[in-house]
Each structure stands twice: as structure tokens, then as C-alpha cells.
């Protein structure tokens, strides 16, 4: 059985003080939760404060992005050693907002996956199609391309440090969740793709999260699908009660 993992992507929200407040609430409310792994991904500026709050809890820290060089003249970027120093154990890579607004491509995603999986952090790699692509019947082709190119040169060993997040772009922040069946179909497709690329054991092991308008009232149904191993939660992760409800649904 794959252990479920629920991650909160705070996106560009929460100042340091606000992050501390939310992290404190999550720490208290998560004390008795054993069933799922919990990760929160605050903005870079709040990583240290948040790490300090959650260090004696079961909640783990993640970043929303990472650069593939360790240091140097790369204005505005944050490196893996910096994330480790801040206490991160996870890094989200290739979120659709980064692909849409900040020029991320499968090639930059690949370099970032190479970097993170070569360390002791775990990469949460996002893939997903637009509404036009879904309507055109292109979902599987798009996911295939994103994974084949994004994972180029990634070894079996590195796969152990990867979680895939299937996030249909049309469902992110729109309130339009994929139905459990729509999500399960793509999750199964992804698992079979991993099987063809890395074999049955890797396919069985890899955790595939669903993301896109996950809320307390739809989480249980999504998370009960056989190939949905967790959730990457945006909006609903900004409120302690809602995020904890989603974790409990796992
Ligand atoms: P949402 O965002 O839950 O607000 O739709 C999900 C995500 O972008 O990871």
C-alpha cells in the first residue's frame, strides 16, 4: 500500500507572521494524524520561520520551486543547498503556473528534477493539460510528452525521490474539480506510463497526487480512487481547518 501524501502549496501567499500563525494552527490540529504524510510549501521568505514552528511535528517542509545550480550569478533564483539549509525536504517542480507565467519548459523541469533527485530531497513534479487540450482529446499525449521529456535520463534510483502531481490546468483555482473518474483515468495512464518506462515495481511504488480545486467536500471521493495517492492543495491549504479536513479524508 502506498502511503497517502497531502501537500499544501501556499503559492504567493502569507507573510512571515501569517505563515507562523498558519503553521502553528496546523501543528496543533495535526497532532493525532497518523494516516498520511503532510507537507506544506510556504513562499521562500517564510521557509525559516515555518521550519522553526513545525520542527517538532509530523509536518514536513517543501519549497515551491528550485534552481539547478548551487550558487552563482542567477539573480532571483534559490538553490537546493539554500532550501536544505531552510529545512526543506520537498520541492515542487514544474507547477503549471511556473510553466504558464515564468517560461518553465519540460527541459527546465528536467534539469530541476535531476538536481533534486540527486539530493536527499523529494521532487513533486507537476503535469497536466489545459482545457483546450482536454477538449481536443489530447490529454494523454500531453502528459506523455511532459513525463517523457521531463524525466529524460532519470534513473530507477532517482525515481524513488519523485512524486508526480497530476494537475489539470482547467481545475486549478477554478472550483472546477476533475471528477474522481476523470482523475483516476489519468492517474492510471500515468502509472502505466511509468511502468513502461521504469518497470512494474517503480510503477507500483510511485505516489501520484491529484491537484486542482481539492476541497474538504471532494477530497474523500478523490482520495479513495485506487491510483490517487494524495493531493496537492492550493487555495484550501491556506486555512488550517480546511487543510486538516483534507488530510483526514485520506
Ligand atoms: P487549487 O490549486 O487547489 O487552488 O486549485 C492547486 C495547485 O495549483 O496546486
Amino acid at each position: 500500500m502506498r502511503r497517502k501524501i497531502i501537500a499544501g502549496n501556499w503559492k504567493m501567499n502569507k507573510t512571515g507572521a501569517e505563515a507562523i500563525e498558519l503553521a502553528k494552527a496546523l501543528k496543533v490540529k495535526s497532532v493525532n494524524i497518523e494516516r498520511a504524510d503532510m507537507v506544506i510549501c510556504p513562499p521562500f521568505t517564510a521557509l525559516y520561520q515555518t521550519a522553526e514552528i513545525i520542527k517538532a511535528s509530523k509536518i514536513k517542509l517543501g519549497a515551491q520551486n528550485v534552481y539547478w545550480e548551487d550558487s552563482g550569478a542567477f539573480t532571483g533564483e534559490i538553490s537546493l543547498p539554500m532550501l536544505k539549509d531552510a529545512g526543506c525536504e520537498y520541492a515542487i517542480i514544474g507547477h503549471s503556473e511556473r510553466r504558464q507565467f515564468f517560461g518553465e519548459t519540460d527541459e527546465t523541469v528536467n534539469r530541476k528534477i535531476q538536481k533534486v533527485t540527486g539530493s536527499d530531497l523529494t521532487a513533486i513534479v507537476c503535469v497536466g493539460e489545459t482545457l483546450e487540450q482536454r477538449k481536443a482529446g489530447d490529454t494523454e499525449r500531453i502528459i506523455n510528452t511532459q513525463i517523457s521529456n521531463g524525466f529524460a535520463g532519470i534513473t530507477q534510483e532517482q525515481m524513488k525521490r519523485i512524486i508526480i502531481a497530476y494537475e489539470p490546468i482547467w481545475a486549478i483555482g477554478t472550483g472546477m474539480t476533475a471528477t474522481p473518474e476523470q482523475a483516476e483515468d489519468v492517474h492510471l495512464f500515468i502509472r502505466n506510463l511509468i511502468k513502461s518506462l521504469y518497470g512494474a515495481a517503480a510503477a507500483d511504488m510511485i505516489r501520484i497526487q491529484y491537484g486542482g480545486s481539492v476541497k474538504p467536500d471532494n477530497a474523500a471521493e478523490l482520495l479513495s480512487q485506487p491510483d490517487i495517492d494524495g493531493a496537492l492543495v492550493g487555495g484550501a491549504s491556506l486555512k488550517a481547518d480546511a487543510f486538516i479536513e483534507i488530510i483526514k479524508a485520506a
Side-chain angles (χ1 to χ4, degrees):
M1 261 303 269
R2 294 177 294 270
R3 189 172 156 82
K4 297 243 191 302
I5 176 162
I6 313 294
N9 173 10
W10 293 6
K11 306 192 179 181
M12 198 175 73
N13 295 291
K14 306 292 177 189
T15 61
E18 291 164 347
I20 288 173
E21 194 185 319
L22 178 53
K24 277 184 177 164
L26 290 170
K27 181 178 172 175
V28 170
K29 292 170 196 284
S30 65
V31 168
N32 293 318
I33 297 178
E34 305 284 349
R35 275 171 296 173
D37 293 337
M38 297 173 269
V39 182
I40 52 177
C41 306
F44 291 131
T45 47
L47 287 173
Y48 276 98
Q49 292 101 312
T50 307
E52 199 54 39
I53 303 295
I54 61 175
K55 69 180 174 208
S57 79
K58 296 178 200 120
I59 305 169
K60 305 292 187 195
L61 194 66
Q64 298 173 20
N65 186 23
V66 61
Y67 194 61
W68 57 79
E69 297 288 347
D70 281 344
S71 62
F74 302 103
T75 303
E77 294 296 320
I78 303 284
S79 73
L80 189 85
M82 294 169 183
L83 296 184
K84 284 180 73 159
D85 183 54
C88 289
E89 294 178 51
Y90 294 83
I92 299 173
I93 295 176
H95 189 280
S96 63
E97 285 151 17
R98 299 231 37 103
R99 295 180 193 250
Q100 268 180 298
F101 307 137
F102 305 103
E104 292 252 2
T105 63
D106 291 339
E107 286 63 44
T108 59
V109 166
N110 180 249
R111 296 183 80 158
K112 293 178 180 191
I113 298 176
Q114 288 284 9
K115 185 71 194 178
V116 171
T117 57
S119 76
D120 52 6
L121 269 73
T122 296
I124 299 177
V125 182
C126 303
V127 297
E129 81 287 2
T130 63
L131 189 57
E132 295 72 54
Q133 290 164 340
R134 173 162 284 263
K135 283 184 174 158
D138 265 350
T139 301
E140 294 187 353
R141 190 178 60 80
I142 295 296
I143 303 285
N144 192 340
T145 304
Q146 289 172 340
I147 291 184
S148 303
N149 295 342
F151 287 34
I154 300 295
T155 63
Q156 295 257 6
E157 200 50 34
Q158 287 172 296
M159 285 302 285
K160 294 178 183 156
R161 309 214 72 88
I162 293 180
I163 291 167
I164 297 174
Y166 168 56
E167 300 207 304
I169 295 169
W170 48 273
I172 295 179
T174 58
M176 246 168 71
T177 327
T179 64
E181 295 73 30
Q182 282 175 323
E184 170 60 21
D185 281 353
V186 180
H187 281 236
L188 185 58
F189 173 78
I190 292 172
R191 200 172 304 285
N192 285 331
L193 181 59
I194 297 300
K195 189 174 175 183
S196 71
L197 295 170
Y198 294 97
D204 192 49
M205 186 197 64
I206 192 153
R207 294 192 286 182
I208 308 172
Q209 294 176 312
Y210 169 78
S213 298
V214 176
K215 303 273 179 311
D217 60 3
N218 60 24
E221 222 190 334
L222 285 160
L223 290 165
S224 65
Q225 300 300 308
D227 291 288
I228 300 186
D229 308 310
L232 182 54
V233 186
S237 73
L238 298 173
K239 296 259 183 314
D241 285 330
F243 191 57
I244 293 291
E245 281 309 306
I246 292 169
I247 295 166
K248 285 184 177 161

